[in-house]
Amino acid sequence: MKNKINKIICMAAMSATVLTSCQTDFVDINRDHRQPTEDELKMDNLNVGGFVTAFEMGIFPVGSSGTGYVNDYQIPYTLGGACWIGYMAPAQNKWVGRGFPSFALKPWSQYTYNVMAGNAYRSWLDMKKRTTDDPAGFAVAQIIKVAAVHKATDTFGPIPYSKAGMEGQTLAEYDSQEDVYKAMLKDLDDAVQTLNKEAHNVFPKYDIIYEGDYQKWCKLANSLMLRLAMRVVYANEALAKEYAEKAINNPYGVIEATSEAALLCKGAGVTLKNPLVIINGEAYNDVRMGAEIASYMKGYKDDRLAAYFQKGTVNNVSDYYGLRTNMPSTTTYNDRSKISLLNVADGTPVYIVKASEVYFLRAEGALRGWSMGGANKAQTFYEKGIATSFEENGLDAGKAAAYAANSSNKPANFIDPINSQYSADAPSDITIKWQDGNFEKSLERIITQKYLAIYPDGQEAWSEFRRTGYPRIFKAVSVSTDCNVNGDNRPTRIPYSNDEYTKNLDNITKAVQLLGGADDGATRLWWDKKPNK
């Protein structure tokens, strides 16, 4: 009974169904018996637990059945960030000269916001109402909210945050990105302190990420805090340092072991499907290996290649073949089927935060002279990040050590196996082995290796590219933008939707003022302040 109701409430929460009974003399006749009543939900904590499961499944769109979640993942995360940063490229000609891959951003703006934040706020409001007497439960809800919503502010800039989900609010009021970041950092810190004070597991039967382990939730909150703190370093270094060091020193610290990583795969009796399986497979057949990641991994002779991609076959030669993203609208590239597919299966997890990412964040913090724990050496954290990434992909420590010690391999020239006019010189000459003495070279090493480690999280890689200018990428082949995107720089943000200008004009006008520039794809966000990238 519990599992059946849990599935019902998950579907209901994800579709924002209002769970109220009919207030007439015919309550039992009129109520929808497919939906559980509040009394039924209260049994075994289902009135909260089922919403937790659905809320977590929205951090990145994943599903346990059907395919509705697939488009929610594909549009913002595959055709957006993953294409812009060169992890992936579209496999079908229908994307040539149109949509996110070619920098036409406006048509999918509202859809993207709904996926990243709109759905999350609805779930968060449900959780908020149901955890008024459960401080630890609300603390977990706050962490899930930040894990989801920070992607929206990193995509648009100013977003609703402080008043999001308020009772009676019909039109969204926007906060500046600076205020959103300060609020998210505080929310994460408050959540850690609450969980440490309450000191008990939370929703163990319904939590598909950590099965209720409150100490791991603290580690995730602190790791997200470190990620967000680093994001603002060029806009407010004092704030960045304060929260980065707090993340390390807070109760339970940050994620360090692969077993502590936050991921969506299975738990609480639910087995989740990775949306890339359908996007990559016969159903969609709509993605291939990107040119940038091919250049870096082939040049470095990276053993993780086989974990990430499958070999393609061109002219009877089997190899890892990549593809440029933004082809001209006149191009008909009929041989994309020969380009390397992704190596992804139903059991492949969708990561929220990997342990390897956290080590690279600590490496950058140590490079900046901050207190990042342990020996506090950038090189140590950098090499540990590489070793942990290899472990995450089932590769042994010996291969990781040999890779980290290599001082000669460099990114390779990109050779288009189908049409040589799209070949390109290597985007960078950065080597792998750590070298002290040059801050920018060290930073490029850290971000480049983080780029390779956090694949396929194109959203995070795109954000880090905008923040630091790394990894270095190829110039755009072609630009078909509807919002002033400089293709070589990729989009700096996604503009607000036309729907907002029609229905919420006063608030969206204020949001653009807070943005501090034109509402297009070339205006830099508040945290995007690094000069001379």
Side-chain angles (χ1 to χ4, degrees):
M1 176 68 174
K2 183 199 79 174
N3 286 339
K4 180 179 180 181
I5 295 179
N6 194 25
K7 290 179 181 178
I8 293 173
I9 188 62
C10 285
M11 291 185 288
M14 285 187 287
S15 61
T17 301
V18 179
L19 300 173
T20 57
S21 58
C22 179
Q23 297 179 2
T24 73
D25 293 334
F26 305 99
V27 171
D28 191 58
I29 295 174
N30 289 335
R31 86 171 179 90
D32 185 351
H33 288 270
R34 294 170 299 176
Q35 303 292 346
T37 67
E38 286 294 329
D39 287 339
E40 288 172 330
L41 292 174
K42 288 177 182 177
M43 295 187 300
D44 209 11
N45 210 29
L46 273 165
N47 63 318
V48 181
F51 283 93
V52 173
T53 308
F55 197 5
E56 291 175 334
M57 290 169 65
I59 296 174
F60 279 111
V62 294
S64 57
S65 61
T67 59
Y69 62 94
V70 178
N71 287 346
D72 286 355
Y73 187 95
Q74 182 187 26
I75 289 174
Y77 300 121
T78 302
L79 295 174
C83 279
W84 297 334
I85 202 64
Y87 279 157
M88 302 175 195
Q92 296 189 28
N93 287 320
K94 66 182 180 181
W95 302 120
V96 173
R98 64 183 291 264
F100 278 1
S102 295
F103 316 126
L105 310 181
K106 290 184 177 181
W108 288 339
S109 174
Q110 188 65 49
Y111 189 104
T112 296
Y113 177 81
N114 287 341
V115 169
M116 292 181 173
N119 298 337
Y121 280 139
R122 284 189 287 272
S123 295
W124 174 78
L125 183 58
D126 279 321
M127 287 290 296
K128 183 181 179 182
K129 292 176 180 177
R130 295 165 186 273
T131 55
T132 53
D133 297 322
D134 183 2
F138 184 64
V140 168
Q142 291 286 76
I143 298 167
I144 298 171
K145 177 185 72 173
V146 174
V149 170
H150 83 277
K151 299 192 291 290
T153 187
D154 287 346
T155 297
F156 294 94
I159 61 168
Y161 193 85
S162 64
K163 297 182 180 179
M166 290 184 65
E167 292 288 351
Q169 186 184 52
T170 57
L171 297 176
E173 296 183 32
Y174 287 72
D175 296 289
S176 71
Q177 187 175 60
E178 180 177 9
D179 287 345
V180 172
Y181 257 81
K182 288 179 177 178
M184 290 191 300
L185 289 165
K186 184 178 185 302
D187 284 347
L188 290 170
D189 188 38
D190 288 348
V192 171
Q193 304 309 323
T194 297
L195 288 170
N196 184 51
K197 178 182 177 181
E198 296 294 315
H200 64 78
N201 288 348
V202 186
F203 314 126
K205 295 181 180 180
Y206 312 102
D207 171 13
I208 56 178
I209 298 175
Y210 287 133
E211 297 185 325
D213 189 330
Y214 79 95
Q215 295 183 13
K216 287 183 178 179
W217 276 106
C218 288
K219 287 177 177 287
L220 172 57
N222 288 327
S223 299
L224 285 169
M225 190 187 304
L226 180 57
R227 176 194 279 182
L228 300 186
M230 197 63 70
R231 189 89 83 233
V232 307
V233 67
Y234 291 106
N236 189 334
E237 186 172 1
L239 181 71
K241 182 176 185 290
E242 174 191 353
Y243 275 96
E245 292 184 341
K246 183 175 288 190
I248 302 300
N249 295 317
N250 261 353
Y252 308 106
V254 293
I255 293 168
E256 294 186 324
T258 56
S259 60
E260 297 168 349
L263 55 87
L264 297 165
C265 186
K266 59 182 178 180
V270 178
T271 299
L272 302 175
K273 295 182 179 181
N274 189 315
L276 286 172
V277 172
I278 293 175
I279 298 168
N280 184 60
E282 291 183 5
Y284 279 30
N285 186 28
D286 209 5
V287 69
R288 291 294 187 274
M289 181 184 189
E292 278 86 351
I293 198 167
S295 170
Y296 281 99
M297 298 192 85
K298 291 179 74 173
Y300 288 151
K301 297 179 173 57
D302 196 316
D303 289 303
R304 291 169 291 185
L305 252 175
Y308 291 175
F309 300 101
Q310 304 174 40
K311 287 185 175 181
T313 302
V314 178
N315 297 326
N316 297 318
V317 177
S318 179
D319 200 353
Y320 295 101
Y321 296 111
L323 183 67
R324 303 283 286 276
T325 292
N326 19 68
M327 296 294 188
S329 58
T330 55
T331 299
T332 302
Y333 207 100
N334 292 322
D335 293 316
R336 296 182 189 215
S337 62
K338 300 177 180 179
I339 306 299
S340 292
L341 285 160
L342 315 186
N343 187 7
V344 60
D346 281 332
T348 303
V350 175
Y351 280 92
I352 301 163
V353 177
K354 289 184 176 181
S356 55
E357 178 193 347
V358 179
Y359 282 113
F360 288 118
L361 288 165
R362 296 173 76 178
E364 183 177 347
L367 179 68
R368 295 181 181 280
W370 303 348
S371 178
M372 291 288 100
N376 202 42
K377 292 184 178 180
Q379 178 178 352
T380 301
F381 290 129
Y382 172 79
E383 291 173 350
K384 182 65 173 176
I386 291 172
T388 304
S389 178
F390 273 61
E391 180 185 349
E392 288 164 346
N393 289 286
L395 298 167
D396 63 52
K399 289 183 177 180
Y403 177 90
N406 188 287
S407 60
S408 58
N409 289 348
K410 298 179 181 180
N413 293 338
F414 173 69
I415 307 300
D416 188 301
I418 308 297
N419 191 331
S420 62
Q421 70 172 308
Y422 301 124
S423 297
D425 292 340
S428 173
D429 63 357
I430 195 71
T431 52
I432 303 168
K433 185 177 180 180
W434 184 264
Q435 296 178 28
D436 286 315
N438 184 306
F439 179 90
E440 275 304 314
K441 281 291 185 184
S442 296
L443 182 62
E444 183 179 359
R445 271 192 186 86
I446 291 168
I447 302 301
T448 299
Q449 290 303 320
K450 178 160 66 170
Y451 166 78
L452 297 176
I454 66 173
Y455 167 88
D457 188 352
Q459 173 69 27
E460 184 60 23
W462 172 50
S463 294
E464 286 295 83
F465 169 74
R466 289 175 289 158
R467 178 178 75 89
T468 66
Y470 306 122
R472 299 185 188 277
I473 59 177
F474 297 120
K475 292 184 176 182
V477 177
S478 177
V479 177
S480 300
T481 183
D482 59 0
C483 55
N484 201 35
V485 173
N486 179 324
D488 293 345
N489 296 334
R490 305 305 193 261
T492 55
R493 60 181 293 276
I494 292 177
Y496 297 116
S497 71
N498 291 334
D499 202 44
E500 278 293 272
Y501 285 94
T502 301
K503 299 177 180 178
N504 194 18
L505 181 59
D506 287 346
N507 285 321
I508 198 65
T509 300
K510 293 175 184 176
V512 176
Q513 292 172 351
L514 293 171
L515 178 65
D519 182 17
D520 61 19
T523 295
R524 292 167 67 167
L525 301 182
W526 166 74
W527 51 248
D528 185 359
K529 291 287 199 301
K530 184 181 180 183
N532 304 319
K533 287 189 294 182

